[in-house]
Every structure is written in structure tokens, then in C-alpha cells.
Amino acid sequence: MSAQTDTLPHSPPAPLGKSDGNDRLRIVPVRRTGQWAAAVAVLALLSLALNSVIRNDAFQWDVVAEYFTTTAVLRGLGLTLWLTALVMVLGFALGTLLAVLRLSANRVLQAVSWGYIWLFRSTPILVQLLFWFNIGALYPEILGVRTVNLLGPVTVAVIGLTLHEAAYAAEVVRGGILSVERGQIEAAQSLGLGPWRRFRRIVLPQAMRSIVPPAGNMLIGTLKGTSIVSIIAVQDLLYSVQLVYHRTYQVIPLLLVATMWYAVVTSLLGIGQHYVERHYARGTAGAR
């Protein structure tokens, strides 16, 4: 006799989780004990740090409140904002021209643009400012005009920062232009659009999606970078608080005044950058 083996269907494995009594699976969330412990530890450290800052009398918060909106500080803040706006406008105007030259078919124009970008990106901004501030030592006369004391500190700051920013703006604009698909340009050419109309109506609107984020970062960096002009006695925000604490010897609270104003302005610029990016990202998958 041959033994017959009854084959029974395999029972499914026991489900993970808990049963609610009706043999239905109830999902149990994964416990992330380590993450919660790390979050609690970080919050505790932040609380201790914040408490030490608020309760430390050496910060002299009453002095910070006293000088935060004084005329000297607000005047320095106004010059900082004006200098930032002017440098960004002039820097991107010159940078756009350099980007166009860099993308041209003319080898000479390409070389000139590349050389400019290389030079000003390779030299520290402080060196550039000191160079322009002492230009009279190199060229006492230009076209019969004496250059000694011809350029004031504010003019030197505008020239130095603009030439420096233009080198970086050129690369930002060039990257934005290169991000536009070649087919878009060819389609515009087939419609008979001239070079300027192609750039203004087709290339630039699409390139702005790639230009705006780094340009926003440059704007914030320029705002903070203007503090370096205090080295040539331009009465910006930092130099204004320096004049005060050189007289009162209240260094820490006055530096806090400058720090808080920089934080306020950069936060507002960051919010504006977010909405500008969202405007130019309309119609794309990443738009929010």
C-alpha cells in the first residue's frame, strides 16, 4: 500500500501588530525613542543657552534697547541699505554684460570677460577696497585731473564693491542663461525674433528661475559684506556703532545692536526671496 499524504494549505504567517478581537490587524506606530530623546536634549540645551544670554548682565540689554533706534544707528543702517541696493543694481548690470561677453562667439571678448572674473574673484575684497582707496599713490593724475583725495570713502566703497560683485553676478547670470534649453532659443529664431527680443522675452524669463536663488544669497551676502567698508571710515551700520562704543566703552551691547539689525534685515530679505522664487517657479513641478 502506498501511503497517501494529506497536503494541507500552509497557514499565513501571524500578522505583525495587535488584533482587535475580530482578527483584524491594528497598526502600531513605530516607537522612535531615540529621536524623542535627542529632541528633548537639544531643547534643553537651547533653553539653557537662551537663559544664559537673557540673564547674563554682561550683555546689558538695557543699553541695547537704548541705542537700538538712536539717530546715529538708524543713519548708519540707512547708508548700509542704500549701499547694498546700489551695489547690487550696478553689480548685476555689469555682471550681465560680462556674462553675455563670456557666452559670445568672439574669442577676444570671451578672454576679456574671463580675465575680469578671474581677477576680481581671486582678490580679497578688503585688498580691492584698500587699492582703490590708495589709487592716488599709483596714478597721481589721470587726464590732467589730480586723483589724490578725488575719491571719497563712499565712492571708493561703491566702486570696490560693485566691481567685486560684478564678477560673481556674471557667473550667476551665465549659469541661468545656460540653464535654458537650446530648443527654446532655436524656436525663437525660427519665429524671426531678434537677439534682444529673444533674450528679453524667451531667455531671461526662463533663466530667472536659476538666477533668483543665488542672486538672493548674493544680496544677503552683500548686505553683511558692506560692513567691511568700515575699514575705510564709511559710516555704515557697523562703523556707527563703533563710533559709539569707542566713546562709551560699551562694546558688547553696541555690537549686539548691529547684530540684531543685520538679523532683522536679512530675515526680511529672506522672506522676499521666497516669494520672488515662488513667482518665477510658477508652472514648474517644484512650485509651491
Side-chain angles (χ1 to χ4, degrees):
M1 295 178 63
S2 61
Q4 292 183 348
T5 303
D6 294 334
T7 57
L8 298 176
H10 294 287
S11 59
L16 298 177
K18 297 181 180 180
S19 174
D20 61 359
N22 296 323
D23 295 331
R24 287 182 297 180
L25 183 65
R26 182 165 62 90
I27 304 300
V28 178
V30 179
R31 295 178 180 177
R32 296 180 173 85
T33 307
Q35 293 184 10
W36 283 107
V40 170
V42 170
L43 289 176
L45 292 174
L46 288 176
S47 299
L48 291 174
L50 184 61
N51 183 64
S52 68
V53 171
I54 294 176
R55 300 174 71 96
N56 190 342
D57 294 335
F59 284 99
Q60 298 177 271
W61 292 107
D62 56 334
V63 179
V64 174
E66 177 184 354
Y67 284 99
F68 191 72
T69 56
T70 56
T71 303
V73 171
L74 293 180
R75 187 182 300 116
L77 175 64
L79 180 58
T80 294
L81 296 177
W82 174 82
L83 189 60
T84 301
L86 183 61
V87 166
M88 286 297 295
V89 171
L90 297 179
F92 264 88
L94 179 57
T96 302
L97 175 61
L98 290 170
V100 172
L101 296 181
R102 183 82 184 273
L103 294 172
S104 69
N106 190 308
R107 297 290 184 179
V108 175
L109 297 181
Q110 288 183 16
V112 170
S113 176
W114 180 89
Y116 178 98
I117 294 170
W118 169 81
L119 176 63
F120 283 92
R121 291 176 66 187
S122 304
T123 311
I125 180 60
L126 179 58
V127 175
Q128 296 177 34
L129 287 176
L130 293 176
F131 173 82
W132 289 108
F133 193 70
N134 295 281
I135 191 66
L138 293 174
Y139 299 99
E141 288 189 6
I142 297 179
L143 300 177
V145 179
R146 291 188 59 81
T147 58
V148 179
N149 298 325
L150 177 64
L151 302 178
V154 175
T155 306
V156 168
V158 172
I159 294 175
L161 292 176
T162 297
L163 296 178
H164 177 78
E165 290 297 312
Y168 290 90
E171 291 299 278
V172 170
V173 174
R174 186 173 71 93
I177 293 175
L178 291 177
S179 69
V180 180
E181 294 183 5
R182 182 65 187 174
Q184 299 283 335
I185 302 176
E186 293 174 351
Q189 290 175 334
S190 66
L191 293 175
L193 297 179
W196 170 242
R197 290 192 65 189
R198 284 201 305 269
F199 180 78
R200 183 171 58 90
R201 302 293 297 274
I202 306 298
V203 177
L204 189 58
Q206 297 182 69
M208 288 298 291
R209 291 198 298 267
S210 300
I211 292 175
V212 169
N217 293 333
M218 282 185 60
L219 175 60
I220 293 175
T222 301
L223 172 71
K224 296 183 295 182
T226 55
S227 60
I228 202 171
V229 301
S230 61
I231 198 69
I232 56 175
V234 175
Q235 294 191 16
D236 68 322
L237 177 58
L238 179 59
Y239 192 78
S240 298
V241 301
Q242 286 177 331
L243 291 178
V244 177
Y245 72 61
H246 284 156
R247 186 179 70 251
T248 64
Y249 301 101
Q250 296 168 317
V251 179
I252 298 299
L254 268 301
L255 287 178
L256 282 174
V257 169
T259 301
M260 292 173 65
W261 271 121
Y262 280 121
V264 168
V265 177
T266 53
S267 299
L268 294 176
L269 291 177
I271 294 173
Q273 178 184 350
H274 167 73
Y275 285 104
V276 173
E277 288 182 11
R278 191 170 69 174
H279 170 76
Y280 283 104
R282 289 179 304 178
T284 62
R288 293 184 180 179

